[in-house]
């Protein structure tokens, strides 16, 4: 799927005409804080007003949006007569926007429609569910949702997260590194780990192609340039109220503005690379899909609120260890690690499981293993034999 994609400073203003062409009345789907703090929401409102495009705002997207969350937003969109959707934020907002566009278009359907496999009459020639156009504006460097047709929602009835059987590809994807300059460190770190997971799982995959593998290696090399940011060794970005104990760059900004400006240019370049890596990872999983670590992660996120990136990242070394030696060597080299132990040490510093007890962890991963073994389709993407023993070793 060829999605018009732009990565640049002032990206929303630069592409206001493309946004306006998609509809007359937008439903902006976002969280309740970050898009306000980083200025992306006010910029988008200014652009829509300037082009004569009506809009409504739904700013209650949860960190892990649920089906109920989607229905609430859909109802607002229907009441306001919205005819296209703009996802503004991280993966949660962008995934939600896709699901909302479906139920906004099929506004007589209940939430059950989201998890019914679409019949042929609901699909276009490329296999996408026919729905209202979606614009995705990524303000984190994580999910790559702007590059895929995938939407993952929390299922409260099943106490886990599941992908929709529908595919909704954005009509336009926009990225601006400036917005990442306002993101908290943990958001950048957690979403960047998700990028790494997407790339690894796309490469170790029965659906991998020459194209997807080429994307993975390119993406991992870009991703590796941000490792100091992910580790917290380099603090980037702006803060609301600067004071000496807030950010390490305070002294340079107050006493050496020239050096501070140079750092800003470097920060934006590094964050651009991380955004591009995220988008490339999205392109790769659009070809292959994700694999075991993602399947193992969903209960951790749903039940214990472990951020999605760390919840997938902790399983990557075990997942990689069963791949052939050449594959492991190729991936480690692209990430600039010498050994799997080096990768484990990196993830040990960057994946926060929020003090989950050993008992809780063991119960959750045991149920995740049962989920996987009960659905053979989850194993088909793994290019090596998978049984209970292998899964237990991966999660250990």
């Amino acid at each position: 799927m060829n999605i018009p994609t732009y990565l640049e400073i002032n990206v929303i203003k630069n592409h206001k005409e493309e946004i306006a062409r998609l509809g007359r009345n937008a439903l902006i789907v976002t969280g309740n804080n970050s898009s306000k703090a980083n200025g992306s929401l006010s910029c988008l409102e200014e652009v829509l007003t300037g082009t004569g495009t009506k809009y409504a705002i739904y700013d209650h997207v949860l960190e892990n949006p649920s089906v109920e969350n989607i229905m609430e937003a859909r109802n607002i969109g229907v009441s306001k007569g919205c005819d296209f959707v703009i996802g503004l934020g991280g993966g949660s907002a962008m995934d939600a926007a896709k699901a909302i566009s479906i139920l906004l278009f099929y506004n007589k359907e209940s939430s059950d429609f989201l998890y019914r496999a679409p019949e042929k009459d609901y699909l276009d020639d490329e296999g996408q569910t026919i729905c209202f156009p979606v614009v995705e504006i990524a303000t984190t460097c994580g999910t790559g949702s702007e590059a895929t047709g995938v939407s993952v929602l929390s299922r409260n009835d099943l106490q886990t997260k599941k992908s929709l059987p529908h595919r909704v590809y954005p009509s336009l994807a926009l990225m601006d590194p400036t917005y990442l300059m306002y993101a908290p460190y943990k958001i950048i770190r957690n979403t960047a780990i998700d990028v790494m997971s997407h790339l690894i799982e796309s490469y170790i995959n029965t659906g991998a192609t020459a194209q997807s593998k080429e994307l993975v290696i390119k993406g991992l090399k870009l991703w590796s340039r941000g490792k100091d940011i992910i580790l917290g060794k380099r603090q980037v970005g702006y803060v609301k109220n600067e004071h000496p104990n807030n950010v390490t760059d305070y002294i340079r900004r107050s006493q050496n503005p020239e050096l501070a400006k140079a750092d800003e240019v470097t920060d934006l370049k590094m964050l651009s690379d991380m955004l591009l890596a995220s988008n490339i990872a999205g392109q790769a999983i659009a070809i292959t899909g994700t694999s075991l670590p993602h399947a193992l992660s969903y209960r951790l996120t749903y039940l214990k609120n472990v951020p999605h990136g760390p919840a997938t990242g902790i399983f990557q070394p075990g997942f990689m260890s069963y791949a052939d030696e050449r594959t492991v060597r190729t991936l480690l080299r692209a990430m600039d690690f010498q050994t799997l132990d080096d990768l484990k040490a990196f993830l040990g510093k960057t994946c926060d499981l929020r003090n989950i007890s050993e008992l809780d962890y063991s119960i959750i991963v045991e149920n995740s293993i049962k989920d996987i073994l009960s659905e053979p389709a989850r194993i088909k993407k793994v290019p090596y034999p998978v049984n209970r023993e292998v899964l237990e070793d991966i999660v250990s």
Side-chain angles (χ1 to χ4, degrees):
M1 177 67 66
N2 186 21
I3 301 169
T5 302
Y6 302 93
L7 168 57
E8 57 200 38
I9 294 172
N10 294 322
V11 71
I12 296 175
K13 291 182 179 179
N14 293 347
H15 298 279
K16 58 185 178 183
E17 290 86 1
E18 289 98 315
I19 296 173
R21 279 198 292 266
L22 292 174
R24 295 175 297 175
N25 193 342
L27 176 63
I28 301 172
V29 176
T30 189
N32 61 11
N33 183 45
S34 63
S35 64
K36 300 180 180 75
N38 63 31
S40 58
L41 180 58
S42 62
C43 181
L44 180 57
E45 289 185 273
E46 180 183 337
V47 161
L48 293 174
T49 300
T51 57
T53 306
K54 295 180 180 180
Y55 66 90
I57 300 173
Y58 179 79
D59 59 0
H60 301 297
V61 175
L62 302 173
E63 183 177 346
N64 297 292
S66 64
V67 173
E68 292 80 6
N69 209 190
I70 301 308
M71 288 297 292
E72 183 179 52
R74 187 279 296 268
N75 292 340
I76 290 174
V78 170
S79 70
K80 299 294 184 179
C82 297
D83 59 3
F84 74 113
V85 183
I86 302 175
L88 177 64
S92 296
M94 291 191 287
D95 278 14
K98 296 172 187 176
I100 292 164
S101 73
I102 296 172
L103 289 183
L104 190 57
F105 191 84
Y106 302 102
N107 56 54
K108 302 299 183 184
E109 296 285 352
S110 68
S111 61
D112 292 343
F113 184 76
L114 286 175
Y115 281 95
R116 293 206 308 265
E119 299 175 4
K120 187 176 180 180
D121 290 345
Y122 292 99
L123 303 177
D124 64 17
D125 292 340
E126 295 182 318
Q128 174 178 255
T129 297
I130 299 168
C131 58
F132 284 127
V134 175
V135 178
E136 300 287 33
I137 304 174
T139 64
T140 66
C141 52
T143 67
S145 184
E146 78 283 350
T148 78
V150 176
S151 177
V152 181
L153 303 178
S154 291
R155 289 287 300 270
N156 293 326
D157 55 333
L158 301 176
Q159 294 194 325
T160 188
K161 296 171 67 177
K162 290 183 73 70
S163 296
L164 303 188
H166 303 267
R167 289 295 175 265
V168 177
Y169 291 92
S171 299
L172 180 65
L174 306 176
M175 297 171 285
D176 187 333
T178 306
Y179 300 135
L180 276 176
M181 295 286 276
Y182 293 89
Y185 161 67
K186 287 186 178 181
I187 295 295
I188 295 177
R189 179 196 67 187
N190 293 342
T191 55
I193 296 299
D194 192 25
V195 173
M196 180 203 71
S197 296
H198 287 159
L199 292 164
I200 292 172
E201 291 175 51
S202 178
Y203 199 93
I204 305 175
N205 199 302
T206 56
T209 64
Q211 179 190 5
S212 67
K213 288 187 173 184
E214 182 179 350
L215 286 167
V216 167
I217 300 306
K218 180 180 178 181
L220 285 175
K221 289 179 178 178
L222 286 166
W223 175 87
S224 71
R225 297 176 188 174
K227 284 197 290 185
D228 280 351
I229 294 176
I230 300 168
L231 286 166
K233 291 181 178 180
R234 182 182 180 94
Q235 295 187 10
V236 299
Y238 311 129
V239 291
K240 292 180 180 178
N241 300 302
E242 288 195 354
H243 55 80
N245 297 322
N246 203 358
V247 289
T248 56
D249 287 341
Y250 172 76
I251 298 298
R252 284 180 293 182
R253 289 177 182 162
S254 61
Q255 297 183 3
N256 194 334
E258 290 186 4
L259 180 57
K261 183 62 178 178
D263 278 349
E264 180 183 57
V265 172
T266 301
D267 289 351
L268 284 168
K269 178 62 173 69
M270 294 177 74
L271 292 172
S272 291
D273 287 343
M274 294 173 75
L275 269 173
L276 183 55
S278 174
N279 183 263
I280 289 172
Q283 294 178 52
I285 61 171
I287 296 171
T288 65
T290 55
S291 188
L292 286 181
H294 267 69
L296 288 166
S297 76
Y298 291 140
R299 284 184 179 271
L300 279 172
T301 296
Y302 183 87
L303 294 172
K304 291 296 181 178
N305 294 315
V306 177
H308 179 62
T312 61
I314 59 171
F315 301 120
Q316 297 302 330
F319 176 63
M320 288 177 62
S321 68
Y322 282 90
D324 64 88
E325 185 177 338
R326 181 180 179 182
T327 292
V328 174
R329 188 169 59 249
T330 298
L331 292 173
L332 289 174
R333 186 185 301 120
M335 289 186 281
D336 196 25
F337 292 116
Q338 294 296 315
T339 66
L340 272 177
D341 284 339
D342 292 338
L343 174 60
K344 287 180 184 178
F346 174 85
L347 293 173
K349 297 174 182 176
T350 56
C351 291
D352 180 10
L353 295 192
R354 299 190 175 179
N355 299 316
I356 298 176
S357 70
E358 289 187 14
L359 178 60
D360 284 346
Y361 177 82
S362 63
I363 293 172
I364 291 170
V365 296
E366 169 60 23
N367 285 326
S368 296
I369 288 172
K370 289 179 179 178
D371 290 341
I372 292 169
L373 293 175
S374 68
E375 297 183 37
R378 297 187 185 221
I379 300 174
K380 286 183 179 179
K381 293 181 179 179
V382 185
Y384 52 75
V386 175
N387 54 29
R388 169 171 281 279
E389 182 179 357
V390 169
L391 291 169
E392 289 178 347
D393 189 40
I394 289 174
V395 304
S396 65

